Amino acid sequence: MLGGCDGSQPLIRHDDKGEPGPFPAADRPVAHIVSSRWSNEEARDRLNEATIVMDRAKIRPGMTVADIGAGEGYYTIRLAQRVGKDGRVLAEDIMPAVRDALAERVARERLDNVSVRLGVPADPKLPDASFDRIFMVHMYHEIEQPYEFLWRMRPSLRPEGLVVVVDANRLVVDHGTPPALLRCEFAAVGYQLVGMENMPSAGGYFATFKAVGPRPAPGAIKPCRLRPSQQPTGAQADNGAAPKHQMVDEPNP
């Protein structure tokens, strides 16, 4: 069962005066960033990955979308085409070299509706009430401080905005996020699962979340634990399935 913390978990403290916190530390390992490329773009397009994800996320012309952990820009480029000249895409990565390479690509392809910026590991630093969708594709498992990251990200959503997560149903150390853990960590910061479905063409599953109710105080966030019985095994991990028995009631934020 995924459950709340009993108070014995370490906390991430901030010493700067006026900074919110402490935030709880995640009770799980973190996957190392090994490459900005999850797979080559031609292979992903053969599976129609971006089109399917954008269709399921209901991306429309005129929307404003953030692509967090944008890497080489696979989604950034395709989102820019989908939202059109009246829409905006903010592409963000925490690796300066990757950010610079993406900025060069955006300039080369003359994507005037795209902005590229450098983020920081625990804070996407997104402007408040600005985004219809926030994309987090094959990157959530690399976030070392998920509760702080999600807490700081919440105000950037517009009232009907959604966070879109694509990840693999694998252990975090194997570059995935078990669906039950994903749902629990989001719920701990006041997000509600809108939908989750298998998506083999994107290497796992597709999930959307919305912010509900007030944002909890950092000290009230209860971190989640994933019991061994809820970890993906065998065929579940291989095909990216999100079995129903893994989805459990989340703790109250």
Side-chain angles (χ1 to χ4, degrees):
M1 180 182 297
L2 283 166
C5 178
D6 60 5
S8 62
Q9 293 302 305
L11 299 175
I12 298 169
R13 298 189 178 276
H14 296 276
D15 296 326
D16 294 339
K17 187 176 181 180
E19 278 289 297
F23 289 88
D27 186 27
R28 59 167 173 83
V30 178
H32 296 294
I33 301 174
V34 294
S35 173
S36 62
R37 172 178 292 181
W38 179 78
S39 179
N40 72 74
E41 296 192 9
E42 294 79 10
R44 298 172 83 171
D45 277 344
R46 283 197 296 272
L47 296 172
N48 211 23
E49 177 191 330
T51 297
I52 294 172
V53 169
M54 291 189 296
D55 286 348
R56 291 184 179 181
K58 296 181 173 59
I59 301 299
R60 302 183 302 274
M63 278 187 164
T64 300
V65 182
D67 184 13
I68 306 299
E72 296 179 347
Y74 175 73
Y75 274 91
T76 299
I77 304 305
R78 289 152 183 81
L79 284 166
Q81 296 167 351
R82 178 70 70 96
V83 302
K85 62 181 180 63
D86 294 325
R88 297 290 300 173
V89 177
L90 174 62
E92 183 174 287
D93 205 280
I94 65 171
M95 302 175 67
V98 174
R99 184 275 315 270
D100 293 346
L102 179 54
E104 291 177 4
R105 180 179 183 181
V106 167
R108 185 170 62 250
E109 299 191 21
R110 298 183 179 180
L111 299 175
D112 296 332
N113 61 347
V114 175
S115 300
V116 181
R117 61 182 292 180
L118 188 68
V120 296
D123 186 358
K125 295 187 176 181
L126 301 177
D128 289 354
S130 297
F131 296 97
D132 300 295
R133 300 289 186 270
I134 297 176
F135 271 49
M136 303 172 73
V137 180
H138 291 292
M139 60 75 66
Y140 184 79
H141 50 266
E142 296 174 350
I143 300 175
E144 184 175 356
Q145 300 170 22
Y147 302 109
E148 181 174 1
F149 189 95
L150 295 175
W151 188 89
R152 293 182 182 277
M153 187 176 73
R154 258 192 63 146
S156 67
L157 286 168
R158 288 175 174 168
E160 301 302 319
L162 297 176
V163 180
V164 177
V165 179
V166 176
D167 213 337
N169 184 9
R170 295 194 293 262
L171 298 178
V172 176
V173 293
D174 294 326
H175 292 272
T177 308
L181 181 61
L182 180 81
R183 177 173 173 173
C184 187
E185 290 185 346
F186 268 79
V189 193
Y191 294 83
Q192 182 180 73
L193 179 70
V194 175
M196 177 176 283
E197 51 192 310
N198 296 337
M199 192 176 174
S201 63
Y205 58 82
F206 169 96
T208 52
F209 296 86
K210 64 180 180 180
V212 294
R215 185 171 60 164
I221 297 172
K222 298 180 179 180
C224 308
R225 295 192 183 98
L226 183 65
R227 290 185 177 177
S229 62
Q230 290 180 300
Q231 296 176 356
T233 58
Q236 294 172 2
D238 291 339
N239 63 21
K244 290 183 179 179
H245 75 270
Q246 284 191 309
M247 304 311 297
V248 299
D249 291 336
E250 59 269 15
N252 292 323

